[in-house]
Amino acid sequence: MGEEVKLFRSWSSPFALRIVWALKIKGIEYETVFEDLSNKSPLLLQYNPVHKKVPILVHNGRPIAESFVILEYIDETWKQVPLLPEDPYERAKARFWAKFGDDKVLTSVWNVFIKQGKEQEEALVAAMENLKFLEEEIKGKKFFGGERIGYVDLVLGLLANLISICEEIIGLKIVDEEKLPLLYSWMQDFAEAPIIRDNWPPRDKMIVKFQALLDAAIASSSSSSSSK
Amino acid sequence: MAEEIILLDLWASMLGMRVRVALAEKGLKYEYREQDLRDKSPLLLEMNPVHKKIPVLIHNGKPICESLIIVQYIDEVWYNKSPLLPSDPYKRAQARFWADYTDKLYELGRQLWLTKGEEQETAKKGFMECLKLLEGELGDKPYFGGENFGFLDVALVTFSCWFFAYESFGNFSVEAECPKLVAWSKRCMEKDSVSSSLEDPLKIHGFVIMMRKELGVE
């Protein structure tokens, strides 16, 4: 039977990267549809009318949106190289850390990136508290998934790239090798793993993009404070 | 083997109620422990050190946190009774997608009773849009799960006992805007697992009045 698998993504979306990695790790053939998010295609809007975002996986014409939902769908549909553990308790833990990664860690790292002065210092303290939980969780393991990359690694993996880009732009260490040695080491191992290392978006383009995002964030915060 | 199930919860929490509904659907006996979130118990802090929030399910000494993660855990461990997620991966993906969407409803609902004026109006509009979208997803099915009560039904039905509170503070009627959704919630309430787990809307209303006073919203 011909499987038709399409992935709608943008060149830089870290959430879409999770799906690229998952598909490649499982050896699934797929077609990429690149979207310009400033000019969304009618197909994107048709496939994800609720959020109008990428990534969207379209399998035999049926769309699935939201990266966590897509990852679980992929894992349930193509059973080779399982991403989630088999045991229900371990699965619950994996889902917990994935949610923590997006809800708390990503947000706190972003705050360190866009804030200045005292606010940035406070944001760094908050980020460290969150990152310490990850440091604790990876103890005794090479990857969050154990010996090999799993669901949690794929979800948190964007940190391995974005954090170093943010650190380069703002000149501030977020994951310091001395303070978070295990997490630092995981970031290196993950970034260099086969498949992962071949699929990072071009670093120079990412630096330009994130510098622009920072400039926009600074501009909007200073204009809102001057209008008070 | 004797199963030991403890639920750390707050009576008014619609997130905690999701777990109560799931446990009741599976016919499970458990110990309910009411938590005081202003004076958090050592057990809560030990079992959920990351968020320090309820609900927390403790199964044979091991904690599971986050309401939808707990419901999936319950569904996976006690898979042979009243399955909540369907077996087809695509249908499962749809259920998970919309259950995740109810988080948005939760945030907007909070804004509805936590704020006043323009902020509240914005929250109200967003809240109603979400409900309408969910009503669209229900369509003409008896439950979100189709013929059977399922995962998305569990995720959303607990909001229904909060509707009266939202309506009083937001000054609108859910039934007027989403009659099918209200009919669905009444259908769910005919199930013992739901009626025994949801709280009295009047009591919830009283709870919100108290919270607004405490947080200085009035």
Side-chain angles (χ1 to χ4, degrees), chain B residues 120-158:
Chain B
Q120 192 187 52
E121 274 307 302
T122 310
K124 184 166 100 180
K125 277 205 187 80
F127 186 81
M128 287 318 306
E129 269 170 34
C130 280
L131 275 187
K132 287 204 176 105
L133 217 51
L134 284 159
E135 191 181 56
E137 177 56 21
L138 176 68
D140 291 315
K141 306 195 294 280
Y143 299 107
F144 283 95
E147 288 305 310
N148 297 310
F149 184 80
F151 183 67
L152 181 52
D153 299 280
V154 175
L156 187 58
V157 76
T158 62

Side-chain angles (χ1 to χ4, degrees), chain B residues 4 15 19 31 35 38 41 44 52-53 58 61 77 94 96 102 106 113 122 141 167 169 173 178 186 192 207:
Chain B
E4 189 202 53
L15 305 181
V19 181
E31 185 193 333
Q35 300 297 298
R38 286 162 289 186
S41 68
L44 177 62
K52 307 174 179 57
K53 284 184 180 173
I58 309 172
V77 173
Q94 296 310 295
R96 286 184 175 128
T102 63
Y106 178 74
W113 61 267
T122 310
K141 306 195 294 280
E167 286 168 330
F169 291 107
S173 157
C178 298
K186 289 182 178 155
D192 281 338
F207 174 79

Side-chain angles (χ1 to χ4, degrees), chain A:
Chain A
M1 181 191 78
E3 295 265 34
E4 192 200 53
V5 182
K6 286 188 187 170
L7 175 63
F8 283 68
R9 60 176 288 205
S10 67
W11 72 268
S12 62
S13 162
F15 307 110
L17 264 185
R18 293 170 174 166
I19 314 306
V20 171
W21 295 329
L23 291 167
K24 287 190 188 281
I25 282 173
K26 288 191 180 254
I28 299 162
E29 300 260 332
Y30 69 100
E31 184 194 322
T32 298
V33 179
F34 278 103
E35 284 282 334
D36 172 1
L37 295 179
S38 63
N39 186 19
K40 294 172 183 178
S41 73
L43 213 48
L44 186 157
L45 300 175
Q46 179 197 324
Y47 282 145
N48 191 359
V50 175
H51 300 297
K52 308 176 177 54
K53 287 182 182 175
V54 293
I56 307 167
L57 189 79
V58 183
H59 182 207
N60 294 334
R62 299 195 302 184
I64 304 113
E66 292 296 291
S67 64
F68 288 7
V69 176
I70 300 172
L71 286 173
E72 294 223 26
Y73 175 82
I74 289 173
D75 213 28
E76 287 171 359
T77 305
W78 292 277
K79 305 235 196 274
Q80 68 274 25
V81 195
L83 302 172
L84 275 165
E86 256 202 68
D87 172 65
Y89 183 69
E90 295 300 318
R91 290 162 77 84
K93 274 175 52 179
R95 288 173 178 140
F96 175 87
W97 289 112
K99 192 170 198 301
F100 176 70
D102 265 11
D103 289 353
K104 294 279 188 288
V105 178
L106 205 55
T107 309
S108 59
V109 166
W110 180 252
N111 282 337
V112 175
F113 180 60
I114 59 166
K115 293 196 190 292
Q116 271 77 53
K118 186 126 210 308
E119 279 192 325
Q120 190 183 53
E121 282 171 29
E122 286 164 5
L124 192 56
V125 169
M128 280 303 291
E129 272 173 33
N130 290 328
L131 292 164
K132 281 205 179 100
F133 282 119
L134 294 183
E135 177 82 4
E136 190 57 39
E137 180 55 23
I138 196 139
K139 227 176 242 183
K141 299 188 286 201
K142 181 173 184 192
F143 295 110
F144 287 94
E147 274 310 298
R148 59 176 182 84
I149 285 171
Y151 178 80
V152 179
D153 301 280
L154 295 187
V155 171
L156 299 179
L158 54 86
L159 294 173
N161 186 232
L162 289 189
I163 283 183
S164 81
I165 287 168
C166 291
E167 286 174 344
E168 187 177 318
I169 294 173
I170 61 174
L172 184 65
K173 263 276 165 209
I174 301 172
V175 177
D176 188 319
E177 191 177 0
E178 279 178 33
K179 295 189 181 145
L180 298 163
L182 301 175
L183 199 60
Y184 183 86
S185 173
W186 166 79
M187 279 170 51
Q188 309 308 309
D189 288 338
F190 182 82
E192 285 302 304
I195 291 176
I196 309 299
R197 67 168 180 242
D198 300 327
N199 288 289
W200 292 120
R203 192 180 173 85
D204 48 354
K205 273 180 86 175
M206 288 292 271
I207 299 268
V208 168
K209 177 183 166 125
F210 275 77
Q211 183 67 66
L213 286 172
L214 178 59
D215 294 340
I218 293 175
S220 78
S221 73
S222 60
S223 66
S224 60
S225 57
S226 62
S227 63
K228 279 187 186 137

